[in-house]
Amino acid sequence: MMCLVFTIAVFCLMLSGLSLMVGWKRGAAQLARIAFALVLGSAVVSRFVESLRSFFAEQEIRAVAGGLAVLLFLAVAVLVAGWLFKRRSVEASAVRPTIRRRAQLAELDEHAPHPAEPRSASTDDLQLFGGGQ
């Protein structure tokens, strides 16, 4: 895993150098930051994983940690599913009103006064001289 991360970081640094050669300073700086973040982040993650492995080496702690990991995974799965359903329902409600809302809109439409019909936009003689009504 570390080899892959370092390979990607070297590739980003190579692209950064090429970008700098063609005059794209902003892109070169961003690629260099990405490469630095990959190397630094992989070192931090590696240290964290090694400390977790040494901590969970005991059998009792491993059983408790496994149970907590399963509970955490289930909680995250439920939260993600709820968020997705909520997001879809918000998008669906924005597109089309519910049956109750449509009934209320229909009732309001029945009681609202309708504006007078606008004059025709045609150019016949009666409309040009104000007649025909």
Side-chain angles (χ1 to χ4, degrees):
M1 182 66 185
M2 295 292 287
C3 183
L4 176 67
V5 171
F6 287 132
T7 304
I8 293 171
V10 168
F11 186 70
C12 285
L13 281 175
M14 181 191 65
L15 287 177
S16 173
L18 290 173
S19 298
L20 195 58
M21 280 193 269
V22 297
W24 190 34
K25 293 179 183 178
R26 187 178 209 172
Q30 288 176 346
L31 285 169
R33 284 187 204 114
I34 290 170
F36 183 72
L38 281 172
V39 171
L40 190 63
S42 67
V44 168
V45 167
S46 175
R47 177 73 178 166
F48 181 69
V49 167
E50 287 299 321
S51 65
L52 282 177
R53 281 185 185 162
S54 66
F55 180 71
F56 292 122
E58 297 179 26
Q59 187 69 20
E60 297 85 19
I61 294 176
R62 193 180 309 162
V64 172
L68 288 175
V70 168
L71 287 176
L72 180 66
F73 177 74
L74 289 174
V76 168
V78 167
L79 286 174
V80 167
W83 178 73
L84 287 174
F85 285 131
K86 181 180 178 185
R87 190 170 138 207
R88 285 185 182 167
S89 68
V90 167
E91 290 174 0
S93 66
V95 173
R96 190 172 182 186
T98 62
I99 293 174
R100 290 181 184 165
R101 181 73 181 138
R102 278 185 268 169
Q104 291 174 355
L105 290 174
E107 290 173 4
L108 289 175
D109 191 39
E110 289 175 0
H111 299 299
H114 295 288
E117 302 260 340
R119 289 187 173 184
S120 174
S122 66
T123 56
D124 59 347
D125 293 335
L126 294 175
Q127 292 293 329
L128 285 175
F129 299 108
Q133 289 194 0

